RNA sequence: GGUCUAGUAGCUCAGUUGGAUAGAGCAACAGCCUUCUAAGCUGUGGGUCACAGGUUCGAAUCCUGUCUAGAUCACCA
């Protein structure tokens, strides 16, 4: 039986015996004793004064006495103000640790009686541009929450809904049709260098610390790194000379450089890009063809994204000239020829026009191939992928049925609306006057389809909080249509990701691209490990695997440790920090323990099957066992709150606690064999929990690093 | 303007069924590698928990108001 439950029960019993009264279970507050006090569990007695009619100290004493006599595990107790602190016998904790070790799925619930069937939708990309940092948060959250829910014994299906139709897709298609020949495209790439410079600025900024460090280190060693821009190098070295008398010259240097634009002079990446484009142009100039992923050397999603940007640029131009002809902004936006063409294309698409469909198929397949690469690198997957192009018609059908039954109404122009004024909301459009679907239409259809596909009890949508209103409406409309499961829709509404400079804006080139980001993280992990000389004796293959694990771990942890509901700031510089509260810190702790176990093994010291319950354990060791004790509880809470952040915080506490223990407790060199074995045993359990909990975040742990 | 969310150390974040002296990391400064991985550990400084009221034995946490920031209220998705 759970020990906290047992305590609670005995306290209720004590009150009955001592004061001849009963109290609400809620008034019995048992919590973990804070670190700075003696004890394992604490009973807060204030709420009980009502029935004891005695001062807090006396009440606590009386209950403490009763508990000590009736709960065998309690070793002693103390009273401070209104707090009754209970200490358990150390052997209790040691045997608890043994029970944890014997449990192969510690903290996880298996064989649940009535498991729920939960659908979780995440990712939901649009097929008109590549994935960016915002999608990364979405994907990591969705994947991790799915794992969290599984720990509670429920059946979970991960689904993706690809938004592959709609006006935005038509925009990319149209732009490709108009300006997709190889020469125009390559010209456009070159003229767009401003955006590329912005991108490089972000990249270099992410990398500035390691970059400067490398220059300074090679300078100190008397080497000259050849790949580094000469002017830039001279400036860095000059600044270093000025700051080197400081304690941390490199940090000082970085601080100076951050407020200094000189890193932009390192335009190596920029030049390379430009040269590559030029070369391509020369090679392809005489081919009268349309650009494709193959010829452009770009991933399909990136190529299509370029045309989305191109559309926007041309559209803006048209709006501008219409406004100068005297139209208002709104008028201009609605009547610009390009947007009309795009709208026409959407109608053609819905009508099943063969040419439009073919173009659409081709470009979509490019994008989807690109997404698959990104998903794979991110380590996320799905049980089923839905396509909006398959489901939107079902939505249309539902709306028309609802219209017939009088649940919705039609306006004069033919558009269909839901009246939600009774719910305190506005009217909401469900079908356009030209009969085409809107976002809401297809979401109605998809919801219906997936519930029947899986006979699900619950559906979770991992979607940003900018769509709170949409989901509020979705639930109401589904309920109006008479679906009972409508109330089991849950919108896991996560906060936006912002950069230190502010919000990401695709038009200003401040979007952090997912593929770039992943590459950058691995590169940083590589540089770090080289500087520290950590992986020198590894083969290239092993090395590659480890740095990928670390780079990805850093990114995932950085994003997941923040409460999903909150808007978060993504500072590239902090994200590549591998010290402190970071993924690599935890991975390192794990690797350390593995190395310890290996070494023990080769010294002939094996992890014992059982423990000697009489050994004396230190406060830190006790602390660790108690922390392990809370793991199942943490899992349950994280699952009900859909919050991987709670797991992340827990793992950090555990790793930190372990490192402190590791620092001042000899393990292999401990002469008392029982103690040495106990410490090894404890270490192994800690590492098992690290591995299991990191797995829930989708983060792998390396055996060595 | 209506609705919703947030505001905790210089920065990024923890801290909920209301409990003891509000915690970490980064940044700064001072230390610890002939000893199990120093991607580690220890210490110092840093706070009017946005502000003002209220509820009570007790409030960062609950309520009300104010200020600030963001989201949303589209025949965009």
């Amino acid at each position: 039986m759970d020990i906290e439950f047992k305590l609670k029960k005995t306290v209720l019993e004590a009150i009955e015996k001592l004061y001849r009264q009963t109290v609400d279970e809620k008034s019995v507050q048992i919590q973990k004793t804070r670190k700075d006090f003696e004890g394992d569990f604490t009973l807060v007695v204030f709420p009980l004064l009502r029935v004891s009619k005695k001062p807090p100290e006396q009440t606590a004493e009386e209950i403490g006495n009763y508990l000590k006599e009736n709960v065998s595990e309690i070793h002693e107790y103390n009273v401070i103000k209104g707090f009754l602190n209970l200490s358990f016998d150390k052997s209790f904790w040691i045997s608890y640790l043994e029970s944890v070790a014997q449990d192969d799925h510690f903290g996880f619930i298996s064989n649940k009686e009535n498991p729920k069937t939960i659908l979780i939708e995440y990712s939901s990309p649009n097929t008109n541009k590549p994935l960016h940092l915002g999608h990364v948060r979405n994907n990591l959250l969705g994947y991790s929450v799915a794992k969290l829910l599984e720990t509670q014994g429920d059946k979970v299906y991960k689904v993706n809904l690809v938004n592959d139709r709609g006006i935005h897709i038509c925009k990319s298609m149209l732009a490709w049709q108009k300006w997709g020949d190889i020469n125009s495209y390559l010209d456009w790439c070159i003229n767009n260098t401003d955006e590329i410079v912005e991108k490089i600025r972000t990249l270099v900024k992410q990398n500035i610390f390691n970059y400067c460090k490398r220059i300074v280190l090679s300078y100190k060693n008397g080497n000259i790194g050849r790949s580094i821009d000469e002017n830039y190098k001279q400036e860095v070295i000059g600044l270093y000379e000025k700051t080197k008398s400081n304690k941390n010259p490199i940090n000082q240097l970085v601080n100076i450089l951050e407020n200094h634009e000189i890193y932009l002079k390192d335009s190596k990446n920029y030049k390379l890009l430009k040269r590559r484009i030029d070369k391509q142009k020369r090679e392809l100039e005489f081919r009268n063809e349309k650009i494709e992923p193959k010829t452009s050397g770009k991933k399909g999603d990136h190529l299509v994204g370029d045309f989305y940007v191109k559309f926007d640029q041309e559209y803006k131009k048209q709006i501008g000239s219409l406004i100068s002809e005297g139209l208002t902004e709104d008028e201009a936006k609605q009547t610009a020829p390009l947007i009309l063409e795009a709208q026409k294309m959407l109608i053609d698409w819905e009508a099943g026009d063969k040419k439009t469909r073919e173009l659409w198929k081709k470009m979509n397949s490019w994008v989807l191939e690109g997404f698959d690469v990104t998903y794979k690198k991110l380590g996320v997957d799905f049980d089923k992928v839905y396509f909006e192009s398959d489901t939107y018609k079902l939505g249309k059908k539902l709306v028309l049925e609802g219209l017939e039954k009088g649940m919705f109404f039609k306006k004069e122009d033919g558009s269909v609306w839901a009246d939600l004024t009774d719910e305190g909301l506005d009217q909401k459009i469900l079908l356009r006057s030209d009969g085409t679907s809107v976002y809401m239409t297809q979401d109605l259809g998809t919801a219906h389809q997936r519930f029947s596909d899986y006979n699900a009890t619950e559906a979770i949508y991992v979607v940003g909080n900018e769509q709170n209103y949409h989901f509020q409406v979705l639930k109401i409309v589904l309920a109006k249509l008479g679906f009972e499961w409508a109330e089991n829709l849950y919108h896991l509404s996560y906060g936006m990701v912002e950069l230190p400079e502010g919000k990401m804006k695709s038009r200003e080139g401040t979007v952090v691209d997912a593929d770039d980001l992943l590459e950058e993280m691995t590169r940083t992990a590589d540089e770090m490990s080289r500087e520290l000389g950590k992986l020198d004796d590894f083969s290239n293959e092993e090395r590659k695997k480890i740095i990928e694990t670390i780079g990805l771990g850093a990114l995932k942890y950085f994003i997941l440790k923040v409460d999903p509901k909150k808007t978060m700031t993504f500072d590239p510089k902090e994200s590549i920090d591998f010290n402190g509260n970071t993924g690599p810190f935890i991975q390192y702790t794990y690797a350390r323990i593995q190395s310890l176990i290996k070494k023990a093994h080769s010294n002939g010291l094996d992890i014992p099957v059982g423990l000697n319950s009489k050994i004396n354990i230190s406060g830190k060791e006790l602390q660790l066992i108690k922390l392990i004790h809370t793991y199942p509880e943490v899992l349950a809470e994280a699952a009900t709150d859909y919050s991987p952040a709670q797991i992340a915080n827990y793992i950090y506490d555990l790793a930190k606690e372990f490192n402190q223990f590791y620092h001042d407790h000899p393990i292999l060199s401990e002469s008392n064999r029982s103690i040495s074995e106990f410490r090894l045993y404890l270490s192994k359990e800690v590492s098992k929990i690290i591995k299991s909990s990191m797995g829930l975040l989708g983060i792998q742990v390396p055996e060595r690093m």
Side-chain angles (χ1 to χ4, degrees):
Chain A
M1 183 172 50
D2 180 51
I3 190 68
E4 283 180 65
F5 182 73
K6 183 172 176 184
L7 276 178
K8 202 165 197 174
K9 229 181 79 188
T10 319
V11 171
L12 285 168
E13 206 177 283
I15 291 163
E16 230 180 288
K17 289 250 167 68
L18 292 168
Y19 310 118
R20 313 239 155 258
Q21 287 192 59
T22 55
V23 291
D24 203 349
E25 211 179 301
K26 266 190 238 158
S27 330
V28 181
Q29 294 177 20
I30 293 182
Q31 46 198 236
K32 274 142 210 95
T33 305
R34 291 179 56 135
K35 266 188 214 160
D36 10 85
F37 298 92
E38 181 75 25
D40 299 331
F41 294 96
T42 295
L43 174 75
V44 185
V45 300
F46 292 110
L48 306 174
L49 302 183
R50 207 172 301 222
V51 292
S52 75
K53 306 229 166 55
K54 288 172 186 169
E57 288 82 356
Q58 196 184 341
T59 311
E61 278 292 341
E62 288 173 355
I63 298 176
N65 228 321
Y66 184 93
L67 288 177
K68 192 177 171 185
E69 271 166 31
N70 291 280
V71 181
S72 58
E73 290 92 344
I74 295 180
H75 177 63
E76 60 186 338
Y77 69 90
N78 66 78
V79 175
I80 299 168
K81 292 198 229 165
F83 299 91
L84 169 62
N85 300 321
L86 305 161
S87 300
F88 281 33
D89 208 277
K90 285 187 177 169
S91 64
F92 165 79
W93 291 110
I94 292 175
S95 59
Y96 176 76
L97 183 64
E98 284 177 321
S99 73
V100 170
Q102 282 153 18
D103 186 345
D104 283 338
H105 304 281
F106 173 60
F108 291 40
I109 295 172
S110 44
N111 307 322
K112 194 176 178 179
E113 261 185 43
N114 292 308
K116 296 188 271 190
T117 303
I118 306 174
L119 296 179
I120 178 163
E121 175 195 307
Y122 68 97
S123 203
S124 332
N126 292 344
T127 53
N128 63 331
K129 51 177 188 274
L131 304 176
H132 60 70
L133 184 52
H135 296 111
V136 173
R137 189 179 197 190
N138 180 306
N139 282 299
L140 298 182
L141 270 175
Y143 183 82
S144 175
V145 168
K147 293 241 163 193
L148 280 181
L149 294 172
E150 277 172 355
T151 67
Q152 300 305 298
D154 294 317
K155 187 69 206 144
V156 182
Y157 295 98
K158 293 169 282 187
V159 305
N160 190 1
L161 171 62
V162 179
N163 200 314
D164 61 347
R165 47 132 260 138
I167 189 78
H168 55 293
I169 315 289
C170 293
K171 288 178 182 175
S172 295
M173 283 158 59
L174 193 64
W176 186 80
Q177 228 175 28
K178 284 183 179 293
W179 302 288
D181 59 288
I182 287 174
N183 286 321
S184 318
Y185 176 71
L186 292 175
D187 280 341
W188 179 80
C189 285
I190 290 170
N191 291 335
N192 250 352
T193 42
D194 276 356
E195 279 181 33
I196 297 173
V197 168
E198 275 306 316
K199 227 173 177 178
I200 289 168
R201 184 200 295 264
T202 322
L203 276 177
V204 173
K205 220 167 174 179
Q206 281 169 18
N207 214 21
I208 187 164
F209 181 84
N210 298 309
Y211 197 55
C212 294
K213 210 164 164 181
R214 224 169 49 214
I215 295 176
V216 170
L217 287 178
S218 56
Y219 169 70
K220 281 207 288 202
N221 297 336
N223 303 323
I224 306 274
R226 206 176 288 157
S227 67
I228 296 164
D229 183 271
E230 189 59 34
N231 294 330
Y232 181 50
K233 191 169 62 193
Q234 289 309 326
E235 271 191 76
V236 170
I237 288 170
L239 279 167
Y240 171 71
E241 284 293 337
K242 280 187 205 151
T243 52
K244 73 175 179 186
S245 54
N246 293 34
K247 176 75 187 173
N248 282 320
I250 292 176
N251 285 355
Q252 295 286 339
L253 183 60
V254 171
N255 284 338
I256 294 172
L257 287 173
E258 281 205 339
N259 301 315
H260 203 280
E261 289 282 303
I262 78 163
Y263 57 81
L264 268 183
K265 288 187 186 161
D266 169 40
S267 49
K268 192 183 64 171
N269 291 322
Y270 171 75
K271 282 184 206 150
L272 265 175
L273 250 170
K274 197 156 180 177
R275 210 177 303 151
R276 212 187 65 199
I277 297 170
D278 278 339
K279 192 174 156 227
Q280 249 175 353
K281 205 178 161 190
R282 257 179 278 126
E283 283 170 5
L284 300 170
E285 208 155 23
F286 302 109
R287 285 213 240 159
N288 193 15
E289 286 171 21
K290 292 264 185 190
I291 192 88
E292 296 196 359
K294 251 189 289 167
T295 39
S296 71
K298 268 191 185 175
K299 278 175 78 213
D301 48 340
H302 289 263
L303 183 67
V304 172
D306 283 348
F307 285 101
Y308 189 68
V309 173
K310 172 74 176 166
F311 177 92
D312 199 63
Q313 288 172 353
E314 296 295 329
Y315 181 37
K316 282 256 163 65
K317 273 191 220 160
Q318 290 188 350
I319 293 173
S321 59
L322 286 174
I323 289 176
S324 66
E325 283 167 26
L327 270 67
T328 67
E329 197 183 334
D330 278 353
E331 283 168 347
K333 275 185 182 164
Q334 281 168 23
T335 56
L338 264 179
I339 196 73
L340 295 180
E341 270 186 88
Q343 281 163 356
K344 165 85 173 32
M345 203 177 222
L346 182 62
I347 295 174
D348 287 347
W349 184 91
E350 283 207 17
D353 176 71
K354 210 177 159 204
K355 274 199 163 164
T356 313
R357 287 283 178 148
E358 267 169 20
L359 174 61
W360 169 78
K361 252 187 207 152
K362 175 159 68 181
M363 290 183 72
N364 258 347
S365 71
W366 295 347
V367 175
L368 293 175
E369 271 169 38
F371 285 171
D372 280 344
V373 172
T374 311
Y375 285 145
K376 200 163 178 203
K377 270 193 279 179
L378 259 182
V380 302
D381 55 23
F382 306 94
D383 296 301
K384 178 156 187 161
V385 180
Y386 289 93
F387 294 92
E388 199 185 302
S389 51
D390 293 333
T391 57
Y392 80 99
K393 277 198 175 144
L394 184 55
K396 227 164 160 173
K397 207 175 116 216
L398 286 176
V399 172
L400 293 175
E401 277 171 18
L403 182 64
E404 250 172 60
K405 289 182 197 155
M407 286 174 282
F408 308 133
F409 69 95
K410 202 170 203 165
K411 284 195 180 171
E412 284 172 11
D413 60 5
S415 52
V416 179
W417 296 73
D419 185 5
L420 306 174
T421 41
D422 287 351
E423 277 84 4
L425 301 173
D426 221 336
Q427 297 181 340
K428 186 81 190 173
I429 188 157
L430 300 178
L431 277 181
R432 292 195 188 98
S433 52
D434 62 9
T436 54
S437 311
V438 291
Y439 184 43
M440 184 63 70
T441 326
Q442 68 82 22
D443 244 358
L444 294 169
T446 335
H448 178 261
Q449 173 150 8
R450 67 174 61 152
F451 265 92
S452 45
D453 281 355
Y454 285 98
N455 198 12
T457 44
E458 259 175 61
I460 298 166
Y461 290 76
V462 183
V463 179
N465 62 14
E466 53 194 352
Q467 292 192 31
N468 286 350
Y469 183 72
H470 172 79
F471 280 97
Q472 207 183 340
V473 173
L474 180 68
K475 262 179 103 155
I476 296 173
V477 173
L478 283 168
K480 266 182 185 284
L481 284 168
F483 295 116
E484 283 161 24
W485 41 259
E487 59 184 291
N488 298 329
L489 292 191
Y490 179 79
H491 174 202
L492 174 45
S493 157
Y494 63 90
M496 299 287 101
V497 183
E498 293 179 1
L499 299 175
E501 306 78 58
K503 300 185 62 180
M504 289 193 285
K505 291 189 181 127
S506 38
R507 296 192 189 103
E508 290 168 28
T510 51
V511 173
V512 176
D513 178 78
D515 294 317
D516 290 351
L517 183 61
L518 290 171
E519 206 189 311
E520 182 64 22
M521 296 304 289
T522 312
R523 219 160 61 87
T524 308
D526 192 27
E527 279 174 11
M528 288 290 225
S529 71
R530 278 181 206 278
E531 264 163 35
L532 296 168
K534 286 279 182 182
L535 306 173
D536 292 348
D537 54 334
F538 280 63
S539 73
N540 275 348
E541 235 168 276
E542 284 173 310
R543 189 189 167 85
K544 196 170 163 243
K545 221 177 143 210
I546 294 171
I547 59 172
E548 270 171 14
T549 306
I550 296 171
L552 201 56
L555 175 67
K556 289 185 174 183
Y557 186 86
F558 186 81
I559 288 176
L560 288 174
K561 76 174 173 188
V562 181
D563 182 348
K565 285 180 301 216
K566 290 195 174 171
T567 303
M568 70 171 288
T569 308
F570 184 88
D571 187 342
K573 196 173 121 227
E574 271 178 45
S575 74
I576 56 161
D577 196 344
F578 291 176
N579 304 312
N581 189 356
T582 64
F585 167 83
I586 294 160
Q587 290 172 321
Y588 175 71
T589 308
Y590 179 83
R592 259 183 157 180
I593 298 175
Q594 295 319 298
S595 140
L596 190 65
I597 292 171
K598 242 178 269 163
K599 196 157 268 178
H601 198 73
S602 59
N603 285 3
L605 185 68
D606 280 321
I607 297 167
V609 183
L611 291 170
N612 175 355
S613 67
K614 292 199 186 82
I615 53 164
N616 195 22
I617 59 177
S618 72
K620 192 50 91 182
E621 287 161 336
L622 186 60
Q623 199 75 35
L624 269 172
I625 300 176
K626 285 200 261 180
L627 207 46
I628 290 172
H629 175 77
T630 62
Y631 185 52
E633 213 176 299
V634 171
L635 286 183
E637 271 178 41
T640 39
D641 294 347
Y642 307 118
S643 174
Q646 292 178 23
I647 305 285
N649 287 321
Y650 172 81
I651 315 174
Y652 175 65
D653 283 345
L654 185 66
K656 184 155 183 65
E657 207 70 47
F658 179 83
N659 277 321
Q660 287 165 358
F661 154 77
Y662 180 89
H663 184 260
D664 41 40
H665 291 70
I667 298 169
L668 303 181
S669 46
E670 166 62 46
S671 55
N672 182 324
R673 181 120 184 162
S674 294
I675 291 179
S676 171
E677 282 177 346
F678 164 75
R679 289 178 180 164
L680 200 56
Y681 192 96
L682 178 60
S683 303
K684 174 150 192 214
E685 287 317 303
V686 169
S687 80
K688 272 161 65 182
I689 292 180
I690 290 178
K691 188 170 188 171
S692 124
S693 53
M694 286 290 261
L696 297 175
L697 302 181
I699 303 175
Q700 297 186 319
V701 283
E703 297 300 305
R704 284 182 61 187
M705 71 182 267

